[in-house]
Amino acid sequence: MPRYRVLKSVAHNIGHSFTSLMNYADDDYVMGHILRLARQTGCETLRIDFVRRTAEPPELLVAPISGIPDRYTEFFWDMVQRQGSDRSCIETADLVLHFDTKTQRGRRGQSQFVESPYMCDVRIRDTRGKDYLAHFSRWWYPERVAIQGKERPWWKFWARTNE
């Protein structure tokens, strides 16, 4: 019999994973890409609906992170099953990430990195109408810094100098 009680930990785990340092794409963390795009477009809120398999707005879902909502939707349903629950127990499930791009602070000693606060909320509603919530809030900054001239990123120290 599928369990409902584990949905609280599913909500926590999916939110923690999304905002973690393990969520990396191309040359920055996914959170850094989203913050950079939010600052560029003015769209500050990303919503992923795991049940309907949708994500919006499209302005925050461009390469290299365009596949993140699909990946996390699959991860979410896999986690539900591995934790001992079932799709039939879930009515709605979504992740909402909001950056406050108007609020910024510099990193101490690292002026090229400007942080903004974020809130990430995961909500799962079961078929009985009970909500399981997880909330995360901190500060984040994009690590992707525009490379000037022919300088190589620090992680490409082994590359040839005559590129």
Side-chain angles (χ1 to χ4, degrees):
M1 173 174 223
R3 299 182 302 169
Y4 288 94
R5 183 177 48 181
V6 299
L7 296 178
K8 173 76 175 163
S9 68
V10 170
H12 173 82
N13 291 344
I14 202 78
H16 189 269
S17 174
F18 193 86
T19 60
S20 80
L21 297 177
M22 299 301 287
N23 194 7
Y24 201 83
D26 195 30
D27 59 351
D28 198 358
Y29 297 99
V30 169
M31 294 285 288
H33 284 292
I34 295 170
L35 175 54
R36 181 178 42 79
L37 291 166
R39 288 176 179 168
Q40 289 172 359
T41 65
C43 299
E44 297 182 323
T45 303
L46 172 68
R47 176 184 295 276
I48 301 174
D49 186 320
F50 300 118
V51 173
R52 293 189 302 192
R53 296 181 173 271
T54 60
E56 59 183 9
E59 293 86 353
L60 298 180
L61 298 169
V62 299
I65 60 169
S66 54
I68 293 297
D70 291 336
R71 190 173 89 200
Y72 266 85
T73 297
E74 291 305 316
F75 183 44
F76 172 81
W77 290 114
D78 182 57
M79 191 180 302
V80 166
Q81 186 174 3
R82 281 187 291 119
Q83 299 256 349
S85 192
D86 188 72
R87 290 175 186 255
S88 63
C89 296
I90 298 173
E91 184 178 309
T92 63
D94 58 15
L95 178 146
V96 177
L97 174 68
H98 176 78
F99 277 102
D100 179 2
T101 59
K102 291 163 196 65
T103 304
Q104 297 183 355
R105 71 180 186 191
R107 297 267 309 167
R108 194 174 304 164
Q110 299 173 324
S111 61
Q112 74 270 30
F113 300 123
V114 178
E115 298 179 311
S116 290
Y118 73 85
M119 289 187 303
C120 180
D121 293 298
V122 179
R123 188 191 71 174
I124 302 172
R125 176 170 288 160
D126 69 21
T127 53
R128 304 172 303 174
K130 181 173 180 181
D131 287 334
Y132 303 88
L133 309 171
H135 174 79
F136 304 87
S137 61
R138 290 213 162 151
W139 292 76
W140 202 279
Y141 60 92
E143 288 194 4
R144 178 174 151 184
V145 178
I147 300 169
Q148 305 295 325
K150 289 197 172 241
E151 288 184 46
R152 291 184 312 262
W154 66 267
W155 63 89
K156 292 189 176 181
F157 63 88
W158 60 85
R160 284 190 237 142
T161 57
N162 57 355
E163 294 179 354

